[in-house]
Amino acid sequence: SKNFTLSAYERVAFHKILGLFRSESGQKVLLRDIRKTGVLRASAIDVLKEFESTAVTDAFLEILKSSADLTREEFLNIVDHIEKNGKEQHCDGLVEFISQHIDKTDYLEHICKAVFALGQISGENQKAAEYITSIIKNTEMFEKLRSSAIETAISMDDISLLEAVLRENNDRLNYAVYRALASLADREMIKYEDNISDDLFTVMPGQDDRLLLDIRVLLGKMSPLFDSYSRETKAAYIMAMIMCGHREFIVYTMKALTSNDPALVDVTLYVILSYSQKLRTPDKLFRSLVSLPSVTSRDSDIIIDIFVKYFTGMKETKSNLLFKDKIYNYIVVTLDSYFETYRKNFMI
């Protein structure tokens, strides 16, 4: 390979082969090529983003610092890699990049992506956590940037900052806060469920789990504002309720599903479908879905998919089997009632 040269399109094809084998020598070739320009650099970055290597992550951070002419695609590939493979020691490089460009409107999308990646890799890095917190608190900052910082705040154990943001009554920020609360609740619920000794799950957290309780209390505080939210924020609020096992999630879910707003009904059903495996007490919800009036054909298909996804993914425990039989019997009784009504009213 030292005795011949490749044209640009041949070298791009060669990159693809190196990406398949992911050898150390191939990685070195690709790392040399990210110092080039044009299609060669773009191709090398695109292939290297799949390498799980600290050397690649370090090289990408160096590129962020030194190359001001990165294309949008090159930048997104680099930050995607850092988000997936970065470690706490890479936080300083991201903080430096963000600080250099944070006031530039033409870099807003790049900075939002970098802030989100920083939150994902920050771990116990106090400097990174403080930096993200400073962005959230700064009311003069771009809304989109504050939203990215809020959504990535999954390592915090005190949600008082998020409550303060909700008090601003900014719908776009509210959406981000409820998504962040959903992520925090999911993190806590996973730990809590792992410690349960039997299969009869209760929605109440342990006495020492203040964060999960605080999330439920905060959602309850904000419930009077539910009707004033946009469709997307209502869906995010319902998602947070589902994730934390809030006992009143059925109230706001059914309020959305019976709102006579087709777009809101659609987005709510998609939230339930996406997080059906996170439903802790779905008895009332499922019975309500069976008898939900005035749904479109597509909504009916989504409801069926919710049932299929939930019951095919559930664990085969005694309580779950009893619940499955209960819902099956309810569906049969409901169908019998419908058929009997149809027979009496429409058949001769």
Side-chain angles (χ1 to χ4, degrees), residues 302-331:
I302 298 173
I303 291 172
I304 292 171
D305 289 340
I306 291 171
F307 278 76
V308 172
K309 184 177 180 181
Y310 179 83
F311 286 110
T312 55
M314 72 188 313
K315 296 179 181 179
E316 293 292 328
T317 62
K318 182 178 179 181
S319 60
N320 283 343
L321 291 175
L322 290 172
F323 175 62
K324 184 187 293 186
D325 290 341
K326 180 180 179 181
I327 294 297
Y328 174 80
N329 291 331
Y330 181 80
I331 293 174

Side-chain angles (χ1 to χ4, degrees), residues 239-284:
M239 179 173 69
M241 281 199 146
I242 290 174
M243 289 301 196
C244 72
H246 200 289
R247 64 176 67 253
E248 292 187 358
F249 90 94
I250 182 64
V251 175
Y252 297 94
T253 301
M254 293 311 301
K255 180 178 285 192
L257 292 177
T258 57
S259 62
N260 294 321
D261 181 349
L264 178 57
V265 173
D266 283 352
V267 72
T268 302
L269 286 175
Y270 277 119
V271 166
I272 298 171
L273 176 62
S274 299
Y275 300 100
S276 59
Q277 300 301 319
K278 302 294 183 179
L279 294 169
R280 271 83 189 187
T281 53
D283 187 358
K284 292 182 179 179

Side-chain angles (χ1 to χ4, degrees), residues 189-305:
M189 274 295 200
I190 290 173
K191 293 190 298 186
Y192 183 50
E193 289 172 332
D194 290 341
N195 295 328
I196 294 175
S197 58
D198 57 45
D199 65 340
L200 295 175
F201 182 75
T202 173
V203 297
M204 289 301 296
Q207 292 297 319
D208 57 339
D209 194 340
R210 295 295 309 171
L211 179 58
L212 198 54
L213 189 59
D214 288 344
I215 291 173
R216 291 174 180 171
V217 170
L218 178 57
L219 291 174
K221 285 182 183 178
M222 305 311 297
S223 61
L225 299 176
F226 180 81
D227 291 334
S228 66
Y229 291 151
S230 65
R231 297 187 189 103
E232 292 74 16
T233 304
K234 286 178 180 176
Y237 180 86
I238 291 170
M239 179 173 69
M241 281 199 146
I242 290 174
M243 289 301 196
C244 72
H246 200 289
R247 64 176 67 253
E248 292 187 358
F249 90 94
I250 182 64
V251 175
Y252 297 94
T253 301
M254 293 311 301
K255 180 178 285 192
L257 292 177
T258 57
S259 62
N260 294 321
D261 181 349
L264 178 57
V265 173
D266 283 352
V267 72
T268 302
L269 286 175
Y270 277 119
V271 166
I272 298 171
L273 176 62
S274 299
Y275 300 100
S276 59
Q277 300 301 319
K278 302 294 183 179
L279 294 169
R280 271 83 189 187
T281 53
D283 187 358
K284 292 182 179 179
L285 174 64
F286 282 2
R287 286 189 282 118
S288 299
L289 289 177
V290 170
S291 56
L292 189 66
S294 303
V295 293
T296 64
S297 177
R298 184 177 67 168
D299 291 340
S300 295
D301 290 338
I302 298 173
I303 291 172
I304 292 171
D305 289 340

